[in-house]
Amino acid sequence: MNLTELNKVATAMVASGKGILAADESSGTIKKRFDAIGVESTEDNRRDYREMLFRSKEAMSQYISGVILYDETIWQDAKDGTPLVKLIEQSGAIPGIKVDEGTQALPMCPGELVTVGLDRLAERLKKYYERGARFAKWRAVIDIGSGIPSMTAISVNAHALARYAALCQAAQIVPIVEPEVLMDGDHDIDRCHEVTQRVLNKTFQELRVQRVALEGMVLKPNMVISGKKCPKQASVEEVAEKTVRLLKACVPAAVPGIAFLSGGQSDEEATAHLNAMHKLGPLPWGLTFSYGRALQAAPQKAWAGKAENVAAGQRAFSHRARMNGLASKGEWQSSLEQKAA
Ligand code: 5MM
C-alpha cells in the first residue's frame, strides 16, 4: 500500500469548491428514478443518461472531483465508443466504483439490514483498478425506529465497512466509508444525533481495529437532521451546528475529508446545510458533498429521456454542481438559485 498516493487521491476527492457525483444507482434504484420521469430503464437509456452527465463540461471540470459508478457503467462505452471511465478522466475527475452488493435482512434482528459483498472483493477491486477506478464506495444502512437500531446491526455493519476499507487500501483504492443513518421516520434531530454518534464511534473503532489508514479514506455520513415525518423540523442553523459538533467529536483530523450523502433532502436543503456548516469553520477536514438525488433530480427532470433535452439536462446538472461547489466553500446564497437556466 502506498499511503502517500492514497492520501493524494482522498485529498483531491474533497478539494475545496468540488464534490463527488454519486451516480452508482443499482438497477432497481435507477429504474425507480427513470419511472418517475417516464423513461424505460434499458441499458442504452442508462448509458445515454450517464453520458449526458459525464459530458457536462462546466460541471465536470469545475465542480466535480469524482464520480461513483455502478458495475454496469464502469464497463460501458459512450455512443462514440469512448469508455465512460475515459470521459470522466478527460474531464479531470476521478472515477470510483460502488463495490457493495446491496443489503440483506440481518438474522435475529427484525427490520434491520446488513450490507453484503465481501466475497471475492479483493479480485473485483483488482479488476476495477485496472479499469481506472481510484476510489470505491460501500454503504451501510441504519434505520431508526421503535427499538432499533440494535447494537448488533451497528456492529456488524461497522465490521463490514472496515473489512471493505482495509481490502480497498491493500488494492491501492481509496475507500469511501458510508454509514448512512436513514432520515425516514418521525424521529427528531436529537434522536438522529444519538444514533449517528453511536454509528460513527463504532465505525471508527472498527477501522482502527482493522488497521485502516485514516489518511487514505473519505467518510460519507448523513447529516444530523430531523426525520422526514417529524412534525418539528430543525432549522438549517441547527442542522449545521449539531452536525459539525458531532463530526468534530467523532472524526479524527487524520481523515482528509467528509463528503455528505443527501439522503432524501431537497436539492436546496442539501446545499443550504453544507453551506451553513462552512460558516462554522475552520474545520479540521475537507467538508463537501457526495450527493446522488440532490445533484441528479433536476437533470433527470430536464432530460426526460429525450435527445433534444440533453443540453437542458446538462445545464440543470451544471447549475446544481455549481451551487454545491459554492456551498463547499460557504459561498452559496439562496438568491443564486433563481438565476438557474
Ligand atoms: C446514487 O445512489 C446510491 C446507490 O443506491 P442503491 O445501491 O440503493 O441503488 C446511494 O448509495 C448513494 O450513493 C447514497 O445513498 C447517497 O445518495 P443520496 O441520494 O442520498 O445523496
Side-chain angles (χ1 to χ4, degrees), residues 118-148:
L118 289 169
D119 292 347
R120 298 176 316 280
L121 180 54
E123 296 153 44
R124 287 160 56 215
L125 287 168
K126 196 164 173 279
K127 288 189 187 131
Y128 289 140
Y129 186 92
E130 281 161 11
R131 184 69 175 175
R134 291 296 175 267
F135 69 92
K137 192 200 87 170
W138 177 289
R139 171 174 172 251
V141 183
I142 303 291
D143 204 357
I144 299 182
S146 158
I148 61 169

mmCIF file of all heavy atoms in Angstrom, residues 118-148:
data_model
loop_
_atom_site.group_PDB
_atom_site.id
_atom_site.type_symbol
_atom_site.label_atom_id
_atom_site.label_comp_id
_atom_site.label_asym_id
_atom_site.label_seq_id
_atom_site.Cartn_x
_atom_site.Cartn_y
_atom_site.Cartn_z
ATOM 1 N N LEU A 118 -18.514 -8.830 0.520
ATOM 2 C CA LEU A 118 -17.093 -9.024 0.825
ATOM 3 C C LEU A 118 -16.486 -10.217 0.077
ATOM 4 O O LEU A 118 -15.279 -10.249 -0.159
ATOM 5 C CB LEU A 118 -16.901 -9.208 2.339
ATOM 6 C CG LEU A 118 -17.122 -7.937 3.182
ATOM 7 C CD1 LEU A 118 -17.179 -8.271 4.662
ATOM 8 C CD2 LEU A 118 -16.031 -6.907 2.905
ATOM 9 N N ASP A 119 -17.347 -11.185 -0.321
ATOM 10 C CA ASP A 119 -16.815 -12.373 -1.014
ATOM 11 C C ASP A 119 -16.161 -11.959 -2.333
ATOM 12 O O ASP A 119 -16.752 -11.201 -3.109
ATOM 13 C CB ASP A 119 -17.951 -13.372 -1.316
ATOM 14 C CG ASP A 119 -18.505 -13.993 -0.047
ATOM 15 O OD1 ASP A 119 -17.858 -13.838 1.004
ATOM 16 O OD2 ASP A 119 -19.590 -14.588 -0.107
ATOM 17 N N ARG A 120 -15.007 -12.418 -2.575
ATOM 18 C CA ARG A 120 -14.237 -12.134 -3.806
ATOM 19 C C ARG A 120 -13.987 -10.640 -4.035
ATOM 20 O O ARG A 120 -13.715 -10.212 -5.154
ATOM 21 C CB ARG A 120 -14.920 -12.731 -5.053
ATOM 22 C CG ARG A 120 -15.050 -14.248 -5.043
ATOM 23 C CD ARG A 120 -15.824 -14.757 -6.249
ATOM 24 N NE ARG A 120 -17.012 -13.953 -6.520
ATOM 25 C CZ ARG A 120 -18.153 -14.080 -5.871
ATOM 26 N NH1 ARG A 120 -18.291 -14.970 -4.919
ATOM 27 N NH2 ARG A 120 -19.183 -13.303 -6.170
ATOM 28 N N LEU A 121 -14.099 -9.851 -2.980
ATOM 29 C CA LEU A 121 -13.921 -8.403 -3.172
ATOM 30 C C LEU A 121 -12.500 -8.067 -3.629
ATOM 31 O O LEU A 121 -12.311 -7.197 -4.484
ATOM 32 C CB LEU A 121 -14.284 -7.646 -1.886
ATOM 33 C CG LEU A 121 -14.150 -6.123 -1.948
ATOM 34 C CD1 LEU A 121 -14.942 -5.532 -3.124
ATOM 35 C CD2 LEU A 121 -14.613 -5.466 -0.644
ATOM 36 N N ALA A 122 -11.496 -8.768 -3.076
ATOM 37 C CA ALA A 122 -10.108 -8.466 -3.454
ATOM 38 C C ALA A 122 -9.920 -8.623 -4.967
ATOM 39 O O ALA A 122 -9.299 -7.774 -5.625
ATOM 40 C CB ALA A 122 -9.150 -9.359 -2.688
ATOM 41 N N GLU A 123 -10.512 -9.700 -5.537
ATOM 42 C CA GLU A 123 -10.373 -9.912 -7.003
ATOM 43 C C GLU A 123 -11.098 -8.823 -7.787
ATOM 44 O O GLU A 123 -10.618 -8.334 -8.802
ATOM 45 C CB GLU A 123 -11.014 -11.245 -7.419
ATOM 46 C CG GLU A 123 -10.367 -12.485 -6.854
ATOM 47 C CD GLU A 123 -11.375 -13.638 -6.738
ATOM 48 O OE1 GLU A 123 -12.154 -13.849 -7.684
ATOM 49 O OE2 GLU A 123 -11.371 -14.308 -5.689
ATOM 50 N N ARG A 124 -12.290 -8.469 -7.312
ATOM 51 C CA ARG A 124 -13.063 -7.437 -8.031
ATOM 52 C C ARG A 124 -12.330 -6.097 -7.987
ATOM 53 O O ARG A 124 -12.273 -5.366 -8.988
ATOM 54 C CB ARG A 124 -14.458 -7.306 -7.405
ATOM 55 C CG ARG A 124 -15.371 -8.492 -7.726
ATOM 56 C CD ARG A 124 -16.533 -8.598 -6.743
ATOM 57 N NE ARG A 124 -17.312 -7.376 -6.698
ATOM 58 C CZ ARG A 124 -17.895 -6.886 -5.596
ATOM 59 N NH1 ARG A 124 -17.793 -7.518 -4.446
ATOM 60 N NH2 ARG A 124 -18.575 -5.789 -5.652
ATOM 61 N N LEU A 125 -11.723 -5.781 -6.851
ATOM 62 C CA LEU A 125 -11.016 -4.497 -6.722
ATOM 63 C C LEU A 125 -9.859 -4.412 -7.714
ATOM 64 O O LEU A 125 -9.591 -3.363 -8.304
ATOM 65 C CB LEU A 125 -10.497 -4.309 -5.288
ATOM 66 C CG LEU A 125 -11.573 -3.995 -4.242
ATOM 67 C CD1 LEU A 125 -11.003 -4.122 -2.832
ATOM 68 C CD2 LEU A 125 -12.159 -2.597 -4.451
ATOM 69 N N LYS A 126 -9.195 -5.538 -7.905
ATOM 70 C CA LYS A 126 -8.043 -5.578 -8.822
ATOM 71 C C LYS A 126 -8.510 -5.208 -10.239
ATOM 72 O O LYS A 126 -7.890 -4.389 -10.924
ATOM 73 C CB LYS A 126 -7.455 -6.988 -8.803
ATOM 74 C CG LYS A 126 -6.075 -7.084 -9.370
ATOM 75 C CD LYS A 126 -5.421 -8.415 -8.945
ATOM 76 C CE LYS A 126 -4.092 -8.572 -9.660
ATOM 77 N NZ LYS A 126 -4.230 -9.057 -11.021
ATOM 78 N N LYS A 127 -9.663 -5.775 -10.649
ATOM 79 C CA LYS A 127 -10.189 -5.501 -11.993
ATOM 80 C C LYS A 127 -10.642 -4.052 -12.113
ATOM 81 O O LYS A 127 -10.431 -3.399 -13.140
ATOM 82 C CB LYS A 127 -11.359 -6.433 -12.306
ATOM 83 C CG LYS A 127 -10.886 -7.850 -12.534
ATOM 84 C CD LYS A 127 -11.993 -8.750 -13.065
ATOM 85 C CE LYS A 127 -11.497 -10.184 -13.108
ATOM 86 N NZ LYS A 127 -12.400 -11.136 -12.499
ATOM 87 N N TYR A 128 -11.280 -3.540 -11.065
ATOM 88 C CA TYR A 128 -11.741 -2.154 -11.099
ATOM 89 C C TYR A 128 -10.546 -1.182 -11.179
ATOM 90 O O TYR A 128 -10.602 -0.165 -11.873
ATOM 91 C CB TYR A 128 -12.588 -1.826 -9.867
ATOM 92 C CG TYR A 128 -13.959 -2.483 -9.854
ATOM 93 C CD1 TYR A 128 -14.492 -3.010 -8.682
ATOM 94 C CD2 TYR A 128 -14.748 -2.549 -11.006
ATOM 95 C CE1 TYR A 128 -15.753 -3.587 -8.655
ATOM 96 C CE2 TYR A 128 -16.014 -3.130 -10.988
ATOM 97 C CZ TYR A 128 -16.513 -3.647 -9.809
ATOM 98 O OH TYR A 128 -17.766 -4.203 -9.784
ATOM 99 N N TYR A 129 -9.469 -1.508 -10.452
ATOM 100 C CA TYR A 129 -8.280 -0.645 -10.509
ATOM 101 C C TYR A 129 -7.723 -0.614 -11.927
ATOM 102 O O TYR A 129 -7.398 0.444 -12.475
ATOM 103 C CB TYR A 129 -7.216 -1.137 -9.513
ATOM 104 C CG TYR A 129 -6.026 -0.210 -9.429
ATOM 105 C CD1 TYR A 129 -5.974 0.820 -8.492
ATOM 106 C CD2 TYR A 129 -4.953 -0.327 -10.328
ATOM 107 C CE1 TYR A 129 -4.904 1.698 -8.434
ATOM 108 C CE2 TYR A 129 -3.871 0.543 -10.287
ATOM 109 C CZ TYR A 129 -3.855 1.552 -9.331
ATOM 110 O OH TYR A 129 -2.802 2.427 -9.288
ATOM 111 N N GLU A 130 -7.637 -1.808 -12.537
ATOM 112 C CA GLU A 130 -7.118 -1.888 -13.921
ATOM 113 C C GLU A 130 -7.985 -1.070 -14.880
ATOM 114 O O GLU A 130 -7.504 -0.497 -15.845
ATOM 115 C CB GLU A 130 -7.066 -3.347 -14.390
ATOM 116 C CG GLU A 130 -5.865 -4.089 -13.835
ATOM 117 C CD GLU A 130 -6.019 -5.614 -13.892
ATOM 118 O OE1 GLU A 130 -6.971 -6.100 -14.548
ATOM 119 O OE2 GLU A 130 -5.196 -6.304 -13.261
ATOM 120 N N ARG A 131 -9.280 -1.004 -14.616
ATOM 121 C CA ARG A 131 -10.201 -0.245 -15.474
ATOM 122 C C ARG A 131 -10.103 1.265 -15.218
ATOM 123 O O ARG A 131 -10.642 2.062 -15.976
ATOM 124 C CB ARG A 131 -11.631 -0.742 -15.225
ATOM 125 C CG ARG A 131 -12.702 -0.131 -16.092
ATOM 126 C CD ARG A 131 -12.602 -0.557 -17.559
ATOM 127 N NE ARG A 131 -13.726 -0.045 -18.328
ATOM 128 C CZ ARG A 131 -13.865 -0.159 -19.626
ATOM 129 N NH1 ARG A 131 -12.966 -0.791 -20.350
ATOM 130 N NH2 ARG A 131 -14.904 0.349 -20.254
ATOM 131 N N GLY A 132 -9.468 1.670 -14.084
ATOM 132 C CA GLY A 132 -9.286 3.106 -13.832
ATOM 133 C C GLY A 132 -9.873 3.620 -12.529
ATOM 134 O O GLY A 132 -9.706 4.802 -12.204
ATOM 135 N N ALA A 133 -10.567 2.763 -11.771
ATOM 136 C CA ALA A 133 -11.145 3.240 -10.503
ATOM 137 C C ALA A 133 -10.030 3.521 -9.505
ATOM 138 O O ALA A 133 -9.136 2.702 -9.322
ATOM 139 C CB ALA A 133 -12.109 2.199 -9.932
ATOM 140 N N ARG A 134 -10.105 4.681 -8.856
ATOM 141 C CA ARG A 134 -9.098 5.016 -7.848
ATOM 142 C C ARG A 134 -9.720 5.171 -6.463
ATOM 143 O O ARG A 134 -9.026 5.411 -5.483
ATOM 144 C CB ARG A 134 -8.351 6.308 -8.244
ATOM 145 C CG ARG A 134 -7.460 6.111 -9.462
ATOM 146 C CD ARG A 134 -6.327 5.105 -9.181
ATOM 147 N NE ARG A 134 -5.530 4.801 -10.358
ATOM 148 C CZ ARG A 134 -5.767 3.771 -11.173
ATOM 149 N NH1 ARG A 134 -6.778 2.927 -10.942
ATOM 150 N NH2 ARG A 134 -5.004 3.559 -12.216
ATOM 151 N N PHE A 135 -11.059 5.079 -6.413
ATOM 152 C CA PHE A 135 -11.708 5.021 -5.100
ATOM 153 C C PHE A 135 -12.935 4.125 -5.217
ATOM 154 O O PHE A 135 -13.379 3.795 -6.330
ATOM 155 C CB PHE A 135 -12.063 6.415 -4.566
ATOM 156 C CG PHE A 135 -13.154 7.144 -5.307
ATOM 157 C CD1 PHE A 135 -14.486 7.027 -4.908
ATOM 158 C CD2 PHE A 135 -12.855 7.966 -6.387
ATOM 159 C CE1 PHE A 135 -15.487 7.708 -5.581
ATOM 160 C CE2 PHE A 135 -13.850 8.646 -7.061
ATOM 161 C CZ PHE A 135 -15.180 8.513 -6.658
ATOM 162 N N ALA A 136 -13.458 3.714 -4.059
ATOM 163 C CA ALA A 136 -14.624 2.823 -4.037
ATOM 164 C C ALA A 136 -15.613 3.307 -2.986
ATOM 165 O O ALA A 136 -15.311 4.233 -2.218
ATOM 166 C CB ALA A 136 -14.178 1.394 -3.737
ATOM 167 N N LYS A 137 -16.782 2.705 -2.996
ATOM 168 C CA LYS A 137 -17.806 3.073 -2.016
ATOM 169 C C LYS A 137 -18.540 1.845 -1.501
ATOM 170 O O LYS A 137 -18.811 0.912 -2.273
ATOM 171 C CB LYS A 137 -18.822 4.025 -2.645
ATOM 172 C CG LYS A 137 -19.729 4.661 -1.612
ATOM 173 C CD LYS A 137 -20.999 5.213 -2.200
ATOM 174 C CE LYS A 137 -22.050 4.140 -2.253
ATOM 175 N NZ LYS A 137 -23.390 4.645 -2.596
ATOM 176 N N TRP A 138 -18.849 1.863 -0.223
ATOM 177 C CA TRP A 138 -19.637 0.791 0.420
ATOM 178 C C TRP A 138 -20.586 1.490 1.370
ATOM 179 O O TRP A 138 -20.161 2.282 2.207
ATOM 180 C CB TRP A 138 -18.696 -0.139 1.185
ATOM 181 C CG TRP A 138 -19.331 -1.255 1.955
ATOM 182 C CD1 TRP A 138 -20.081 -1.151 3.107
ATOM 183 C CD2 TRP A 138 -19.241 -2.667 1.679
ATOM 184 N NE1 TRP A 138 -20.458 -2.388 3.546
ATOM 185 C CE2 TRP A 138 -19.956 -3.340 2.700
ATOM 186 C CE3 TRP A 138 -18.625 -3.417 0.678
ATOM 187 C CZ2 TRP A 138 -20.075 -4.728 2.749
ATOM 188 C CZ3 TRP A 138 -18.742 -4.805 0.720
ATOM 189 C CH2 TRP A 138 -19.454 -5.458 1.747
ATOM 190 N N ARG A 139 -21.879 1.201 1.233
ATOM 191 C CA ARG A 139 -22.883 1.897 2.049
ATOM 192 C C ARG A 139 -23.544 0.941 3.025
ATOM 193 O O ARG A 139 -24.074 -0.100 2.627
ATOM 194 C CB ARG A 139 -23.930 2.496 1.112
ATOM 195 C CG ARG A 139 -25.154 3.075 1.786
ATOM 196 C CD ARG A 139 -25.999 3.760 0.704
ATOM 197 N NE ARG A 139 -27.281 4.186 1.182
ATOM 198 C CZ ARG A 139 -28.437 3.603 0.832
ATOM 199 N NH1 ARG A 139 -28.429 2.570 0.008
ATOM 200 N NH2 ARG A 139 -29.564 4.065 1.291
ATOM 201 N N ALA A 140 -23.502 1.292 4.315
ATOM 202 C CA ALA A 140 -24.241 0.559 5.347
ATOM 203 C C ALA A 140 -25.500 1.370 5.650
ATOM 204 O O ALA A 140 -25.463 2.597 5.630
ATOM 205 C CB ALA A 140 -23.395 0.435 6.605
ATOM 206 N N VAL A 141 -26.601 0.665 5.890
ATOM 207 C CA VAL A 141 -27.873 1.363 6.105
ATOM 208 C C VAL A 141 -28.376 1.092 7.518
ATOM 209 O O VAL A 141 -28.618 -0.058 7.884
ATOM 210 C CB VAL A 141 -28.926 0.869 5.084
ATOM 211 C CG1 VAL A 141 -30.226 1.635 5.256
ATOM 212 C CG2 VAL A 141 -28.413 1.031 3.660
ATOM 213 N N ILE A 142 -28.551 2.136 8.290
ATOM 214 C CA ILE A 142 -29.035 2.013 9.671
ATOM 215 C C ILE A 142 -30.367 2.759 9.771
ATOM 216 O O ILE A 142 -30.429 3.965 9.502
ATOM 217 C CB ILE A 142 -28.014 2.627 10.668
ATOM 218 C CG1 ILE A 142 -26.625 1.979 10.530
ATOM 219 C CG2 ILE A 142 -28.553 2.557 12.101
ATOM 220 C CD1 ILE A 142 -26.527 0.545 10.985
ATOM 221 N N ASP A 143 -31.388 2.023 10.137
ATOM 222 C CA ASP A 143 -32.721 2.626 10.231
ATOM 223 C C ASP A 143 -33.025 2.987 11.691
ATOM 224 O O ASP A 143 -32.609 2.274 12.603
ATOM 225 C CB ASP A 143 -33.750 1.604 9.710
ATOM 226 C CG ASP A 143 -35.018 2.278 9.214
ATOM 227 O OD1 ASP A 143 -35.122 3.522 9.319
ATOM 228 O OD2 ASP A 143 -35.910 1.561 8.727
ATOM 229 N N ILE A 144 -33.756 4.076 11.875
ATOM 230 C CA ILE A 144 -34.196 4.450 13.227
ATOM 231 C C ILE A 144 -35.677 4.114 13.345
ATOM 232 O O ILE A 144 -36.475 4.462 12.469
ATOM 233 C CB ILE A 144 -33.999 5.963 13.489
ATOM 234 C CG1 ILE A 144 -32.524 6.354 13.378
ATOM 235 C CG2 ILE A 144 -34.560 6.337 14.869
ATOM 236 C CD1 ILE A 144 -32.239 7.831 13.669
ATOM 237 N N GLY A 145 -36.046 3.417 14.417
ATOM 238 C CA GLY A 145 -37.454 3.084 14.636
ATOM 239 C C GLY A 145 -37.637 2.662 16.077
ATOM 240 O O GLY A 145 -36.713 2.804 16.888
ATOM 241 N N SER A 146 -38.779 2.095 16.365
ATOM 242 C CA SER A 146 -39.041 1.682 17.733
ATOM 243 C C SER A 146 -38.119 0.495 18.075
ATOM 244 O O SER A 146 -38.200 -0.562 17.457
ATOM 245 C CB SER A 146 -40.521 1.315 17.823
ATOM 246 O OG SER A 146 -40.728 0.484 18.896
ATOM 247 N N GLY A 147 -37.231 0.693 19.022
ATOM 248 C CA GLY A 147 -36.299 -0.364 19.447
ATOM 249 C C GLY A 147 -35.129 -0.608 18.512
ATOM 250 O O GLY A 147 -34.329 -1.523 18.745
ATOM 251 N N ILE A 148 -35.034 0.142 17.438
ATOM 252 C CA ILE A 148 -33.875 -0.010 16.542
ATOM 253 C C ILE A 148 -33.237 1.370 16.288
ATOM 254 O O ILE A 148 -33.939 2.380 16.405
ATOM 255 C CB ILE A 148 -34.243 -0.703 15.199
ATOM 256 C CG1 ILE A 148 -35.281 0.094 14.413
ATOM 257 C CG2 ILE A 148 -34.687 -2.119 15.430
ATOM 258 C CD1 ILE A 148 -35.486 -0.396 12.986
#
